[in-house]
Amino acid sequence: MAATPVTLTPGAVTLDGLRAIHGGAAFKLDASAWPGVEAAAASVRRIVESGRTVYGVNTGFGLLAQTRIGDDKLETLQRNLILSHACGVGPDLERPVVRLMIALKAVSLARGHSGVRRDVIERLMDFARQDCLPVIPAQGSVGASGDLAPLAHLACVLIGEGEALFDGARLSGGEALTRAGLQPLVLGAKEGLALINGTEASTALALDALFTAERVMGAGLGAGALSGEALMGSHAPFEARLHTVRGQPGQINVAGRLRALLDGGEVKSAHAACDRVQDPYSFRCQPQVMGAALDLLTQSARTLVIEANGVNDNPVIFPDTDEAISGGNFHAEPVAFAADQITMALCEIGSLSERRTAVLVDPKMSGLPAFLVEDGGLNSGFMIAQVTAAALVAENRSLAFPARVDSVPTSANQEDHVSMATGAARKAGQVARNAASIIAIELLCAAQGLDFRRPLKASDMLESLHAAIRVRAAHLDVDRYMATDLAALTEAVLDGGLGEAAELAL
């Protein structure tokens, strides 16, 4: 039986709904949106009929905003706008991101403050329903005046231009529409501008990074707990009172999660008489570091949900007074900050994980065989896996410089301060994927370390995590080709396939 489609109510879209769409769920607009859409479209018609000069309705754009366009050329104006702005370059955006872009654009337009006809929104929804997805290059937006280039590529297919993926083939926009049984639209006044003014590309990319970060965070907590047991580390740093007196919500949350992960195992009692006073920070400060990262991700999630429900068009139409107020809701500053926060949080999650891996492979620190393999010297074990983790941490640090603090003026200095949100969100996604591989390496090392502690058993949840790892990668008795193991565990982190121990909902 097909899953129930996600119903998108403009102004009340949830993170759960967006996550489901990112995962491939069908979606539809709530019918309550249509009266507002129709009222705004009628308002634009009245503005045109009144003869008033209104930016984006009957003028040029950007520096050319002072040029009045005759009523007989308004359709050509909107078509030219879409074609001229489709200047993206680079790799194509991934399917989940494009689907999110379509959903976000439909929701924004359906708030009833953009002035587009119902037909425009329904055609966008047709793209998702028919699985006719525009080909959208990833690069070319500075995240202000809207994500102009990527959204223009999205809009091109509406008018039968550009390219789209349909039925497994990459086709011209016109051919894709024909095969999908759809007709190209002729855009009316304001509609082209409404389609490309907006933050939907930046927001979709940032949500993509956030949803990956959720899984990386969960897997990172599971890996940290499993590594702690392999180290025969102390559970005392996770005691509830310790975190309550500080009061940081993410720290309290993470400490509780770690206690749940560790509860019931045999390892703690097996080293009750241990003379080690304190574990390294990467083990005992997990609640403080991972909790702070969780707080950043939670704040970013709030920002992105607000943006997903907002009107980020320009000018904004107020149908009750037939006003078109020109402002800057297309400026993606909030999205840029959210994306940079996601990047920084992921950078720290990966950094902490690599340090735990380094401890486990070091016999002086862990008490385990050097590089977690018997017959060391003949076998190198996990020596170079830790080097790979270190390389990824270094790469993530270079990507963690905030994109938001940069700005390159555009459009002959009319658009003299821009957000760089799209670039910020794209690199957040890269850092998330790197962090997934760092966590994968730690999971392999932690499972190997726990093997050396047998016959002691960890908690039920950690034993389940250990089993999930072993399904994908056997114990390392002697050196073997390891890239396959790393790829399998990275995929498991990214697809959430590690079970209960690695689940953490924001």
Side-chain angles (χ1 to χ4, degrees):
M1 179 181 295
T4 303
V6 175
T7 299
L8 300 173
T9 302
V13 173
T14 67
L15 189 65
D16 284 344
L18 294 169
R19 189 185 293 109
I21 292 168
H22 179 266
F27 56 92
K28 63 180 181 179
L29 275 175
D30 191 278
S32 63
W34 297 126
V37 170
E38 289 160 355
S43 182
V44 169
R45 288 195 298 272
R46 289 192 295 271
I47 289 171
V48 172
E49 291 166 359
S50 74
R52 289 156 48 197
T53 299
V54 175
Y55 172 72
V57 175
N58 49 20
T59 72
F61 308 100
L63 190 67
L64 305 176
Q66 306 306 316
T67 303
R68 172 66 186 261
I69 308 298
D71 289 357
D72 61 331
K73 296 180 180 178
L74 296 185
E75 291 178 354
T76 301
L77 173 70
Q78 299 301 314
R79 180 179 178 84
N80 287 351
L81 176 69
I82 298 302
L83 295 174
S84 66
H85 284 56
C87 292
V89 298
D92 299 334
L93 292 178
E94 298 289 338
R95 174 189 173 83
V97 174
V98 175
R99 295 183 80 254
L100 275 174
M101 283 180 65
I102 292 170
L104 293 169
K105 177 53 75 176
V107 167
S108 180
L109 296 178
R111 283 291 305 274
H113 291 284
S114 294
V116 304
R117 293 164 295 157
R118 177 172 176 167
D119 288 352
V120 174
I121 302 173
E122 288 185 328
R123 185 53 45 83
L124 283 172
M125 302 297 287
D126 286 338
F127 285 172
R129 180 174 55 83
Q130 300 271 66
D131 199 28
C132 178
L133 299 183
V135 173
I136 303 174
Q139 295 170 279
S141 174
V142 295
S145 197
D147 289 319
L148 296 173
L151 288 172
H153 283 276
L154 174 66
C156 270
V157 182
L158 285 171
I159 62 174
E161 299 287 349
E163 292 183 294
L165 299 175
F166 181 72
D167 200 19
R170 183 172 180 141
L171 307 167
S172 69
E175 178 64 19
L177 290 180
T178 299
R179 292 198 191 184
L182 302 172
Q183 294 295 318
L185 295 178
V186 176
L187 299 177
K190 175 69 167 60
E191 290 179 337
L193 186 62
L195 285 164
I196 68 171
N197 262 345
T199 63
E200 287 81 17
S202 302
T203 304
L205 283 162
L207 285 167
D208 178 67
L210 176 72
F211 297 145
T212 304
E214 291 177 349
R215 291 175 171 175
V216 170
M217 168 66 81
L221 288 179
L226 196 63
S227 291
E229 296 296 77
L231 184 69
M232 301 189 80
S234 174
H235 293 193
F238 312 134
E239 214 272 0
R241 292 172 297 172
L242 186 64
H243 306 285
T244 300
V245 295
R246 190 181 198 186
Q248 293 288 352
Q251 178 179 329
I252 293 169
N253 184 318
V254 166
R257 183 63 177 163
L258 288 168
R259 289 195 303 275
L261 285 167
L262 293 164
D263 184 49
E266 300 171 353
V267 178
K268 178 181 178 181
S269 59
H271 66 105
C274 175
D275 60 0
R276 187 170 62 227
V277 177
Q278 292 182 328
D279 296 325
Y281 285 1
S282 56
F283 288 81
R284 64 184 164 105
C285 294
Q286 289 182 73
Q288 290 81 5
V289 177
M290 296 290 276
L294 178 60
D295 285 337
L296 279 184
L297 295 177
T298 303
Q299 175 58 41
S300 296
R302 283 196 289 265
T303 297
L304 295 175
V305 170
I306 292 169
E307 191 69 13
N309 282 287
V311 177
N312 43 52
D313 190 4
N314 187 63
V316 176
I317 306 298
F318 293 91
D320 54 340
T321 57
D322 282 349
E323 288 181 277
I325 300 178
S326 189
N329 281 2
F330 50 64
H331 201 295
E333 191 87 356
V335 180
F337 277 121
D340 281 339
Q341 287 182 156
I342 293 168
T343 298
M344 289 187 287
L346 285 162
C347 191
E348 283 295 271
I349 292 168
S351 179
L352 201 68
S353 172
E354 182 277 328
R355 288 293 80 205
R356 291 191 298 264
T357 295
V359 168
L360 291 179
V361 301
D362 183 345
K364 301 185 298 296
M365 296 290 289
S366 68
L368 294 165
F371 302 110
L372 301 172
V373 70
E374 295 179 349
D375 204 4
L378 177 63
N379 294 303
S380 295
F382 288 88
M383 178 191 296
I384 304 305
Q386 185 269 327
V387 172
T388 297
L392 292 171
V393 167
E395 182 175 317
N396 279 357
R397 287 173 182 164
S398 71
L399 292 169
F401 183 83
R404 177 42 265 138
V405 300
D406 192 15
S407 178
V408 179
T410 62
S411 195
N413 281 310
Q414 175 75 2
E415 298 156 7
D416 59 349
H417 181 277
V418 297
S419 75
M420 297 299 179
T422 315
R426 289 185 65 237
K427 67 187 183 73
Q430 180 59 54
V431 170
R433 290 184 289 276
N434 287 348
S437 292
I438 296 168
I439 299 295
I441 291 167
E442 183 188 1
L443 287 166
L444 287 168
C445 290
Q448 185 84 356
L450 189 62
D451 288 345
F452 285 116
R453 302 299 187 187
R454 298 304 191 196
L456 295 176
K457 294 285 188 181
S459 68
D460 288 346
M461 277 202 287
L462 289 181
E463 287 294 340
S464 175
L465 176 59
H466 180 275
I469 295 166
R470 285 289 169 253
V471 166
R472 296 164 174 84
H475 177 85
L476 189 72
D477 294 313
V478 296
D479 285 344
R480 64 171 183 260
Y481 184 72
M482 199 177 290
T484 305
D485 295 345
L486 300 184
L489 264 295
T490 298
E491 183 180 358
V493 172
L494 291 172
D495 68 16
L498 291 172
E500 184 182 6
E503 291 176 3
L504 183 73
L506 288 181

